[in-house]
């Protein structure tokens, strides 16, 4: 009887761990036709010489986001509202994707450097320069600090 109880308990635990979990992460690679027009327009507007190599729709905790991979190792991230939230590149980002106040701060304080990455967080923006320096700004583009993490 003890063996049967242990086997039954193990069986129940096995099936309960395989249940459909709302917190599960799901990635879907999108075909060209499935890529939202807003993402295509953003790429055409700001990264015209580049093309989309792959786009992935991610669902995690019922929140949707998109990772878009362009040629030349450029990665764009969009939230579920199709708003840009992060840009990662090895070379200089186009000025059109960076708020003017941040561009001006970098030009005045880091004249020999350029921005390679930009990210929008809940309460601030962050950029990375080609020398590895990370700078944080308010949502309005006012300098906060150098990020030494």
């Amino acid at each position: 009887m003890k063996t049967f109880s242990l086997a039954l308990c193990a069986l129940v635990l096995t099936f309960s761990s395989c249940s459909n979990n709302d917190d599960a992460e799901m990635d879907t690679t999108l075909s060209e036709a499935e890529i939202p027009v807003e993402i295509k327009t953003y790429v055409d507007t700001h990264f015209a010489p580049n093309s989309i190599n792959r786009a992935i729709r991610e669902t995690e905790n019922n929140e949707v986001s998109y990772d878009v991979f362009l040629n030349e190792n450029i990665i764009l991230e969009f939230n579920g509202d199709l708003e840009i939230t992060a840009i990662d590149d090895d070379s200089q980002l186009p000025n059109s994707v960076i708020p003017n106040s941040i561009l001006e701060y970098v030009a005045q304080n880091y004249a020999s450097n350029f921005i390679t990455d930009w990210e929008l967080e809940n309460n601030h923006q962050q950029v990375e320069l080609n020398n590895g320096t990370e700078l944080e700004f308010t949502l309005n583009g006012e300098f906060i600090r150098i990020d030494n993490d």
Side-chain angles (χ1 to χ4, degrees):
M1 186 69 174
K2 198 176 205 180
T3 305
F4 175 77
S5 295
L6 287 174
L8 182 61
C9 189
L11 187 63
V12 167
L13 288 174
T14 299
F15 283 110
S16 65
S17 68
C18 295
S19 69
N20 189 5
N21 184 351
D22 287 340
D23 293 338
E25 185 175 322
M26 188 172 107
D27 294 352
T28 304
T29 300
L30 303 176
S31 70
E32 173 70 26
E34 294 172 316
I35 299 171
V37 69
E38 294 88 346
I39 292 175
K40 290 179 183 179
T41 300
Y42 188 89
V43 171
D44 289 343
T45 301
H46 302 288
F47 296 91
N50 302 97
S51 58
I52 298 175
N53 288 339
R54 184 173 51 145
I56 298 173
R57 179 178 44 240
E58 295 180 349
T59 305
E60 184 175 354
N61 298 326
N62 293 322
E63 298 223 2
V64 174
S65 64
Y66 298 85
D67 290 337
V68 180
F69 301 85
L70 308 181
N71 59 323
E72 298 184 20
N73 296 323
I74 301 169
I75 303 171
L76 309 176
E77 295 178 23
F78 294 84
N79 62 21
D81 294 327
L82 303 172
E83 300 163 330
I84 190 75
T85 58
I87 306 169
D88 183 15
D89 195 352
D90 295 331
S91 58
Q92 184 172 359
L93 294 181
N95 287 346
S96 62
V97 300
I98 306 296
N100 283 331
S101 56
I102 295 175
L103 286 173
E104 290 171 8
Y105 181 88
V106 171
Q108 289 173 359
N109 296 282
Y110 297 90
S112 61
N113 297 106
F114 56 85
I115 299 171
T116 61
D117 298 70
W118 171 85
E119 186 172 0
L120 179 64
E121 296 287 336
N122 290 335
N123 59 359
H124 70 277
Q125 300 177 71
Q126 184 170 328
V127 297
E128 183 174 339
L129 306 180
N130 62 312
N131 66 355
T133 301
E134 294 181 359
L135 306 173
E136 289 187 11
F137 296 85
T138 65
L139 294 176
N140 293 327
E142 299 166 3
F143 178 72
I144 300 173
R145 69 183 178 103
I146 297 174
D147 185 2
N148 292 318
D149 295 339

